[in-house]
Amino acid sequence: MRIVTALGGNALLRRGQALTAENQRANTVIAAKALARIALDHQLIVTHGNGPQVGLLALQGHAYKPDEAYPLDVLGAQTDGMIGYMIEQELGNWLPFETPLATLLTMVEVDRDDPAFDAPTKFVGPVYDKEEADRIAAQKGWQMRADGDAWRRVVPSPLPRRIFQLRPIKWLVEQGTVVICAGGGGIPTAYNDAGDLEGVEAVIDKDFASALLAREIGADLFISATDAEAVFLDWGTPDQRAIKIASPDALERHSFAAGSMGPKVAAACQFVRKTGKTAAIGSLSDLSGMVAGKRGTLISTDVTGITFHDTPPERGPVIGEAVRHGT
């Protein structure tokens, strides 16, 4: 089975966690354990978020020489290489030595007239309190918005239209390679008036880009891995309920937070509608359970309504020491 797994930002840097290489490495090890079990039996394509990392690089660049700071498309490419390197290395520590691994910098076309450029919504970088956020906004000219009980920078997040590296991704997958690509939603690009492709100042939503990739490469299953065990209705209330399986129509009758579960649900529903195949949303540690259809939330056209888990879904097992380094 061909599976595209989109890793949420929490897979590499948890909310409020220091943006250090050590923390990213530790979280990548956890992700690699879960991904390796899937890669042993299936064709695996991994995508990932980059919001914390790209925001941190922008902050560092602005502190050095504000007038010479690199644009977001270049910073996105840098994060793809950094994060892909960590995922690739740690997966290699859990898979048989002969398993081929590859990270591809992936350019994605967006529309220059996308309304997202006039209304930035994508959170990037570290979290701040209100006073610090106001100070940084005034100093750097950045836009800030509330993200839960904290504040973060927001940048434009246009919808992905086309993935340019589809052919090499397919070639690698067909040769048994675990491919890491479309990191951070891909490197945002658009054609200028002269017909030349160039980078644009934006960060593409990882979930929508991953769903587009999953459709274009013929994935049998699209998984959005996050820190939640499932999609919940009435989240954060005494009446919260974990959804076991739902149709796209039934899910879309409900609203979900735009900064967290909303894009995941919308992207998953889009994939299911356009392909007739299944999507899943759930915890990174439950990847094997989602592949088996027993964990997380499944979205499918085979049902007409919503079925709930009787109890919160249990966390599935992760790969154990017995397979480390292919032993």
Side-chain angles (χ1 to χ4, degrees):
M1 184 160 59
R2 183 171 294 182
I3 301 171
V4 170
T5 299
L7 301 180
N10 62 284
L12 299 170
L13 281 170
R14 295 169 186 164
R15 181 179 171 84
Q17 197 173 33
L19 307 185
T20 65
E22 291 78 13
N23 284 337
Q24 291 183 68
R25 175 72 68 179
N27 291 328
T28 302
V29 171
I30 295 171
K33 292 179 183 179
L35 290 167
R37 171 164 289 194
I38 305 304
L40 288 170
D41 299 314
H42 304 282
Q43 293 180 338
L44 178 64
I45 303 93
V46 181
T47 68
H48 57 80
N50 73 341
Q53 293 85 357
V54 76
L56 177 62
L57 288 179
L59 195 63
Q60 292 171 340
H62 201 280
Y64 173 56
K65 287 186 177 180
D67 294 337
E68 300 177 12
Y70 288 134
L72 287 174
D73 63 301
V74 176
L75 299 182
Q78 290 180 5
T79 63
D80 285 0
M82 173 183 67
I83 296 169
Y85 156 69
M86 287 190 178
I87 294 174
E88 192 173 321
Q89 189 176 74
E90 294 305 331
L91 270 175
N93 288 333
W94 292 92
L95 289 169
F97 181 79
E98 64 273 13
T99 303
L101 302 155
T103 298
L104 284 183
L105 298 186
T106 312
M107 292 186 292
V108 175
E109 183 184 7
V110 301
D111 187 346
R112 287 187 179 277
D113 296 323
D114 192 305
F117 287 106
D118 297 321
T121 58
K122 177 68 175 176
F123 290 112
V124 299
V127 298
Y128 306 100
D129 59 30
K130 182 65 164 63
E131 182 179 354
E132 180 71 359
D134 289 343
R135 184 188 67 79
I136 292 174
Q139 181 186 66
K140 306 184 186 304
W142 292 349
Q143 294 191 47
M144 298 284 187
R145 281 183 55 184
D147 181 14
D149 57 358
W151 289 75
R152 295 177 72 189
R153 181 189 178 190
V154 288
V155 300
S157 183
L159 291 173
R161 300 179 62 186
R162 174 166 49 172
I163 297 171
F164 287 104
Q165 277 73 35
L166 278 178
R167 283 185 296 173
I169 291 170
K170 289 179 180 178
W171 293 338
L172 288 166
V173 171
E174 288 165 1
Q175 295 302 313
T177 305
V178 177
V179 180
I180 300 126
C181 59
I187 303 165
T189 60
Y191 287 100
N192 60 25
D193 293 338
D196 296 325
L197 189 68
E198 60 185 13
V200 297
E201 190 74 353
V203 174
I204 303 170
D205 183 88
K206 169 262 307 171
D207 294 300
F208 287 113
S210 300
L212 174 61
L213 173 69
R215 298 199 309 269
E216 294 292 334
I217 66 170
D220 301 295
L221 176 64
F222 170 50
I223 297 177
S224 186
T226 182
D227 57 353
E229 295 170 343
V231 179
F232 285 78
L233 293 188
D234 303 316
W235 171 254
T237 74
D239 298 322
Q240 71 180 31
R241 294 162 292 167
I243 298 172
K244 183 175 183 179
I245 187 168
S247 68
D249 288 344
L251 264 187
E252 290 178 342
R253 296 190 189 105
H254 303 272
S255 60
F256 302 92
S260 57
M261 194 59 74
K264 294 174 176 55
V265 170
C269 289
Q270 188 180 87
F271 171 79
V272 172
R273 275 208 183 94
K274 289 183 178 291
T275 66
K277 297 177 182 177
T278 301
I281 302 173
S283 171
L284 177 65
S285 66
D286 287 341
L287 276 182
S288 295
M290 284 188 277
V291 172
K294 298 178 180 179
R295 298 284 186 262
T297 295
L298 301 182
I299 300 100
S300 172
T301 56
D302 293 337
V303 298
T304 56
I306 294 178
T307 300
F308 297 96
H309 286 280
D310 294 332
T311 58
E314 298 177 0
R315 292 192 176 276
V318 297
I319 197 164
E321 290 289 338
V323 299
R324 189 171 176 84
H325 297 291
T327 57

